[in-house]
Amino acid sequence: MLTDIEIALGAELKNIKEVAAKVGVKEEELELYGNHMAKFTDSYIDSVSNNKDGKLILVTAINPTPAGEGKTTVTIGLGDALSRLGKKTMIALREPSLGPCFGVKGGAAGGGYSQVVPMEKLNLHFTGDFHAITSANNLLAACLDNHLLQGNALGIDPNRIVLKRCLDMNDRALRNIVIGMGKRMDGVVREDHFVITVATEVMAILCLSEDIFDLKKRLGRMIVAYTYANEPVTAEQLGCVGAMTALLKDAIRPNLIQTLEGNPAVVHGGPFANIAHGCNSVRATRLALKTADYVVTEAGFGADLGAEKFLDIKCRLAGLKPDMTVIVATVRALKYNGGVAKADLDAENIDALSKGIVNLGKHIENIKKFGLPVVVTLNRFVSDTDAEIEYVKKYCEDMGVKLTLSEVWAKGGEGGIPLAEEVLRILDSEESHYAPIYDTELPIKEKMATLAREIYGADGVVYSKEAENAIAKIEAMGYGNLPVCVAKTQYSLSDDPTLLGRPSGFKMNIREVYVSAGAGFVVMISGSIMTMPGLPKSPAAERIDIDDNGDITGLF
């Protein structure tokens, strides 16, 4: 059996100009990065701004497990299937982070015969967007520390600096560090911290900005520290926002690549859904909607994270109206939620399936609360038995949704035809009544309580003293009317990764709260989630190499 990268490297890629032409984009409307990657020009983005929007289809999933779900794979396969049915379709995805690529999760290009390519370039440096974001964030950090050394005219309290440096890599040793050691001109000695690039506010800002001018305004609003008088200090006050914007001038423009079947895929931005808002950029989604009749996009991890933030943050702030949602599940993942060990998932186990399927049920309920039509697709494995599939089908029917089978990993777009046909049927016959699940004018704690109760199924929320104080300060500064972005484990509806299925009788524990004033939301750090991940005992980096032909191996 071929690996993902072997399939990708063996594919015959079309020239990206030919891919763009499928949806009416001309060569002069692209900036080429070789023959197979491009960025859209600002003039093209402006030229389609008044076009009618296509249909927006969100792909989400149950809570992820070691058994795998294949959300991105299904997203790509559904796009290919719609194209096979003669529909003018574009896919809108996030860019992969290097951290998971060299860690345990792998890349984000799909899998099998449902991938976007060139997979190896996408998963590594791509067009340099993440490097630009890293540089912009760290330029701001450098200017801040230089300001401290050069007299600290703003009166910044070194113990109340909230901006963190970043690196697009899993490196736990950088979570808590001391900088400025050495001589006086080496800087002010203070504690500092690193986060992974995809967790930075700069990443969130780039993904939520309308254009380069909106980006610049949002960067200026970033709160980087507080003074001795407890007043916020913004990036604009440090005087480097223009330089940061210059670094991001190209990064804010969406990228175009292709699926294995030669269909267009817009790939741009990449915030994690467990520690950020987990959606590709507003510019990419809007561009796709103005260019194609059908846009298939994904949001990170389970529907309690990526989909909730897509619907409560991205769509609300950008004025987008999704038309329907696809929820991806696997029999194996549902059995894992029902208590079966990973090594035993191949064996038929209806009892475990019946216990674990409640996780799917909760996600179906949640999506319906946003007023969206829903279809469930089962990413099929060879070990799935007819009895198990029939059980899931009956469960979905009882919940008022249809189950389709997806075989896009093995068959590409052909394996997604049943799902595509059901998606088209729903779009023709059911209307979206999308609405966010809470009113932003509610106090911060009430918004968090709504998410805890309605989305996670919690009995309440417990705040640390530090979180309580932070909320009071945020509301006093006038940011109480922003949406809430919860950072929590992806493995459970709760903030405890060991509570699988559909847990109950628990409370959400909020240990830290801060405002991302530039991005436009309030972040709640729940449980033990880390904004700088670490590598596992045996990271994927140990298996990635270059062979004698100069090809990359081991990337997945």
Side-chain angles (χ1 to χ4, degrees), residues 67-75 111 114 327-333 376-384 389 403-410 415 419:
E69 288 69 50
K71 173 170 52 62
T72 304
T73 302
V74 169
T75 302
S114 183
I327 300 178
V328 180
T330 65
V331 167
R332 292 165 58 83
V376 175
T377 194
L378 207 57
N379 207 4
R380 189 167 190 176
F381 283 69
V382 293
S383 61
D384 299 347
I389 293 171
L403 175 74
T404 63
L405 296 182
S406 172
E407 297 180 278
V408 296
W409 186 92
L419 171 60

Side-chain angles (χ1 to χ4, degrees), residues 58 60 303 307-308 311 324-325 327 362-374 455:
L58 171 66
T60 185
E308 183 273 317
L311 298 168
M324 67 166 296
T325 300
I327 300 178
K362 177 59 174 163
H363 289 302
I364 293 172
E365 288 178 14
N366 287 352
I367 294 299
K368 286 185 174 182
K369 290 176 181 179
F370 288 97
L372 292 175
V374 182
I455 301 299

Side-chain angles (χ1 to χ4, degrees), residues 442-455:
L442 290 172
I444 291 173
K445 282 189 173 182
E446 288 192 32
K447 285 178 281 201
M448 183 64 221
T450 301
L451 290 178
R453 179 180 66 252
E454 299 294 334
I455 301 299

Side-chain angles (χ1 to χ4, degrees), residues 97-100 103-105 167-175 194-199 272 274-275 301 490-491 528-536:
S97 163
L98 290 176
V104 66
K105 185 177 180 293
L167 185 72
D168 192 36
M169 195 62 63
N170 293 1
D171 192 348
R172 61 169 57 85
L174 294 178
R175 288 174 185 163
F194 270 77
V195 297
I196 192 166
T197 298
V198 286
F272 282 173
N274 58 344
I275 51 182
F301 293 126
Q490 66 269 33
Y491 298 115
S528 58
I529 194 72
M530 293 290 180
T531 52
M532 170 55 87
L535 292 172

Side-chain angles (χ1 to χ4, degrees), residues 164-483:
K164 298 176 181 178
R165 287 171 162 80
C166 72
L167 185 72
D168 192 36
M169 195 62 63
N170 293 1
D171 192 348
R172 61 169 57 85
L174 294 178
R175 288 174 185 163
N176 304 291
I177 60 173
V178 175
I179 62 171
M181 304 284 283
K183 298 178 181 179
R184 180 192 174 278
M185 292 308 293
D186 293 327
V188 175
V189 178
R190 68 177 182 87
E191 183 179 349
D192 200 7
H193 313 271
F194 270 77
V195 297
I196 192 166
T197 298
V198 286
T200 62
E201 185 175 0
V202 177
M203 171 66 80
I205 286 172
L206 181 129
C207 288
L208 291 170
S209 294
E210 298 285 337
D211 53 35
I212 192 73
F213 306 106
D214 184 35
L215 172 75
K216 185 176 180 180
K217 290 177 183 177
R218 288 173 178 269
L219 291 173
R221 294 200 299 264
M222 288 177 62
I223 295 175
V224 298
Y226 292 85
T227 66
Y228 288 109
N230 201 24
E231 294 300 319
V233 177
T234 65
E236 184 175 24
Q237 291 174 271
L238 290 173
C240 60
V241 171
M244 293 173 67
T245 309
L247 284 170
L248 297 169
K249 182 177 182 293
D250 292 327
I252 195 175
R253 292 189 288 121
N255 308 292
L256 178 67
I257 55 174
Q258 63 189 284
T259 69
L260 286 173
E261 299 188 8
N263 295 312
V266 186
V267 186
H268 193 223
F272 282 173
N274 58 344
I275 51 182
H277 75 282
C279 310
N280 70 332
S281 76
V282 167
R283 290 195 99 198
T285 303
R286 186 169 286 141
L287 180 148
L289 286 169
K290 299 296 184 182
T291 302
D293 297 328
Y294 297 87
V295 175
V296 186
T297 191
E298 53 85 39
F301 293 126
D304 57 318
L305 285 168
E308 183 273 317
K309 294 169 183 179
F310 178 87
L311 298 168
D312 275 329
I313 297 176
K314 177 179 175 177
C315 289
R316 187 203 305 263
L317 296 180
L320 299 173
K321 184 182 178 182
D323 293 281
M324 67 166 296
T325 300
V326 178
I327 300 178
V328 180
T330 65
V331 167
R332 292 165 58 83
L334 294 173
K335 288 191 291 188
Y336 185 89
N337 267 281
V340 176
K342 184 179 178 181
D344 301 323
L345 290 172
D346 286 350
E348 181 178 285
N349 192 329
I350 300 296
D351 181 58
L353 184 59
S354 68
K355 294 175 181 175
I357 203 169
V358 293
N359 185 267
L360 170 61
K362 177 59 174 163
H363 289 302
I364 293 172
E365 288 178 14
N366 287 352
I367 294 299
K368 286 185 174 182
K369 290 176 181 179
F370 288 97
L372 292 175
V374 182
V375 61
V376 175
T377 194
L378 207 57
N379 207 4
R380 189 167 190 176
F381 283 69
V382 293
S383 61
D384 299 347
T385 68
D386 290 343
E388 289 173 329
I389 293 171
E390 187 59 34
Y391 185 91
V392 180
K393 180 180 179 181
K394 178 66 166 56
Y395 183 89
C396 290
E397 287 175 352
D398 290 344
M399 293 204 67
V401 300
K402 186 170 181 179
L403 175 74
T404 63
L405 296 182
S406 172
E407 297 180 278
V408 296
W409 186 92
K411 299 179 181 179
E414 179 189 351
I417 295 293
L419 171 60
E421 290 176 338
E422 178 60 15
V423 164
L424 292 174
R425 185 198 68 78
I426 289 175
L427 291 174
D428 287 341
S429 62
E430 298 185 35
E431 186 176 350
S432 168
H433 299 285
Y434 158 71
I437 206 163
Y438 58 78
D439 186 338
T440 54
E441 295 304 316
L442 290 172
I444 291 173
K445 282 189 173 182
E446 288 192 32
K447 285 178 281 201
M448 183 64 221
T450 301
L451 290 178
R453 179 180 66 252
E454 299 294 334
I455 301 299
Y456 313 136
D459 287 347
V461 185
V462 176
Y463 296 91
S464 69
K465 183 63 176 175
E466 292 78 9
E468 294 267 11
N469 292 339
I471 291 171
K473 176 65 176 177
I474 290 167
E475 291 182 332
M477 290 191 299
Y479 295 113
N481 62 345
L482 298 180

